[in-house]
């Protein structure tokens, strides 16, 4: 719009946002989230007057919708490619930051270890780029960020790709910086009603981890035939 940075910030604040990134996140949720839910339990966001039983129904219904929506937001070919890369990896390094994504990185590490994959989770942002620079071709880097804008995770994937390492993104937004920095992106549906940090908003990521670990384990137990004909 050919205006100064200060004008942009003031416009965002007048619209009720703290800064431009908050406005961008809000727009992304509205534009990229699945269509409005039909479940009656999701019509009204709970407040202090909502019966506790209805709060339970609301949260579980939103989580269930996210799982169903993820069947369409996660590209099957991208998932197959991710399985192939992880199953063949010398090691997998998982980058996540914050109280939720950091914990999710550790959860994915545990699931991959159970599938026989050498995996390590890096949950502190200050360690992301130094760790990424130690990776070598044959390794796989995985970045976890629901918003896709976590700077240290994005930079870790970029540094990994610069070293010839396959970089997988697990995010809620297919056009995010993290997705663009990756070799392969897996986009989990984000329930708009639970946007932010609630653990239930990440239920589709947890299910994706299980699917990835199971598929990798089966692939390692029964490798694809390499015979030519």
């Amino acid at each position: 719009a050919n205006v100064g940075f200060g004008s942009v910030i003031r416009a965002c604040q007048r619209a009720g946002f703290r800064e431009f990134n908050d406005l961008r996140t809000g727009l992304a949720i509205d534009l990229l989230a699945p269509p409005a839910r039909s479940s009656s339990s999701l019509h009204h966001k709970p407040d202090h007057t909502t019966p506790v039983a209805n709060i339970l129904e609301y949260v579980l219904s939103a989580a269930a919708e996210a799982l169903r929506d993820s069947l369409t937001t996660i590209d099957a070919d991208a998932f197959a490619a991710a399985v192939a890369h992880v199953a063949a990896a010398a090691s997998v390094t998982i980058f996540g930051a914050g109280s939720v994504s950091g914990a999710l990185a550790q959860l994915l590490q545990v699931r991959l270890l159970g599938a026989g994959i050498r995996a390590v989770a890096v949950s502190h942002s200050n360690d992301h780029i130094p760790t990424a620079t130690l990776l070598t071709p044959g390794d796989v880097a995985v970045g976890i960020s629901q918003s896709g804008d976590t700077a240290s995770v994005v930079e870790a994937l970029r540094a990994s790709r610069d070293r010839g390492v396959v970089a997988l993104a697990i995010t809620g937004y297919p056009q995010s910086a993290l997705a663009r920095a990756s070799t392969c992106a897996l986009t989990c549906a984000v329930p708009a009603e639970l946007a932010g940090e609630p653990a239930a908003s990440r239920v589709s990521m947890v299910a994706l981890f299980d699917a990835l670990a199971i598929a990798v384990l089966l692939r390692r137990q029964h490798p694809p035939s390499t015979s030519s004909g």
Side-chain angles (χ1 to χ4, degrees):
N2 295 320
V3 298
F5 181 75
S7 297
V8 173
I9 296 300
R10 286 192 295 273
C12 292
Q13 291 173 342
R14 291 191 64 180
F17 298 91
R18 183 171 58 88
E19 57 184 22
F20 174 71
N21 283 341
D22 294 333
L23 172 62
R24 182 174 62 178
T25 299
L27 288 172
I29 290 172
D30 284 344
L31 294 174
L32 299 178
R37 276 65 174 174
S38 60
S39 173
S40 60
S41 61
L42 297 180
H43 286 172
H44 302 288
K45 190 172 183 178
D47 57 28
H48 67 282
T49 66
T50 305
V52 292
N54 289 9
I55 294 175
L56 175 63
E57 180 185 8
Y58 178 92
V59 173
L60 295 184
S61 296
E65 290 283 3
L67 286 172
R68 283 192 290 269
D69 291 339
S70 291
L71 288 172
T72 59
T73 61
I74 298 174
D75 181 79
D77 290 338
F79 178 73
V83 170
H85 288 311
V86 172
S91 67
V92 177
T93 301
I94 308 151
F95 300 97
S99 59
V100 179
S101 291
L104 287 175
Q106 295 174 353
L107 176 59
L108 180 55
Q109 176 196 16
V110 170
R111 295 297 286 119
L112 293 181
L113 289 172
I117 299 296
R118 183 180 178 184
V120 60
V122 185
S123 301
H124 298 287
S125 58
N126 289 341
D127 298 331
H128 287 170
I129 295 178
T131 301
T133 59
L134 298 176
L135 302 182
T136 58
D139 295 332
V140 169
V142 180
I144 299 174
S145 171
Q146 180 163 274
S147 68
D149 285 333
T150 306
S152 63
V153 178
V154 173
E155 291 305 317
L157 284 201
R158 287 175 178 160
S160 299
R161 290 192 67 180
D162 288 344
R163 298 185 63 80
V165 172
V166 171
L168 304 181
I170 299 178
T171 182
Y173 300 100
Q175 301 302 323
S176 63
L178 185 66
R180 295 194 303 272
S182 70
T183 307
C184 175
L186 301 175
T187 305
C188 297
V190 179
E193 298 82 4
L194 295 175
E197 289 300 314
S201 71
R202 309 298 182 92
V203 67
S204 54
M205 284 190 181
V206 174
L208 173 62
F209 296 168
D210 286 342
L212 181 63
I214 292 169
V216 166
L217 177 61
L218 293 174
R219 186 183 181 95
R220 287 170 64 85
Q221 291 176 340
H222 305 282
S225 174
T226 57
S227 60
S228 60

